[in-house]
């Protein structure tokens, strides 16, 4: 079952939570990162998250 917050995030809508603030979905760009164990450079794909 999806919650009301989950439905709003899927629809790219900002959400106001009392005493917490506003959260909104964003798309994080692809970026380079480094594997700390091997030192190898890797690419991290773009992804959707909330901010």
């Amino acid at each position: 079952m999806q919650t009301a917050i989950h439905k709003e995030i899927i629809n790219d809508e900002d959400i106001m939570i009392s005493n917490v603030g506003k959260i909104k979905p964003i798309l994080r760009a692809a970026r380079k990162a480094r594997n700390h164990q091997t030192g190898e450079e890797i690419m991290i794909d773009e992804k959707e998250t909330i901010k």
Side-chain angles (χ1 to χ4, degrees), residues 2-43:
Q2 293 179 337
T3 65
I5 293 174
H6 188 241
K7 288 178 185 177
E8 302 242 351
I9 290 173
I10 288 173
N11 293 329
D12 291 331
E13 297 178 23
D14 293 354
I15 301 162
M16 179 60 92
I17 301 176
S18 297
N19 297 327
V20 175
K22 182 168 47 171
I23 61 173
K24 61 182 178 177
I26 61 168
L27 182 64
R28 295 188 66 157
R31 61 189 172 95
K32 293 180 185 176
R34 187 170 305 276
N35 180 326
H36 295 290
Q37 291 182 339
T38 64
E40 177 186 7
E41 194 170 87
I42 58 173
M43 284 297 296

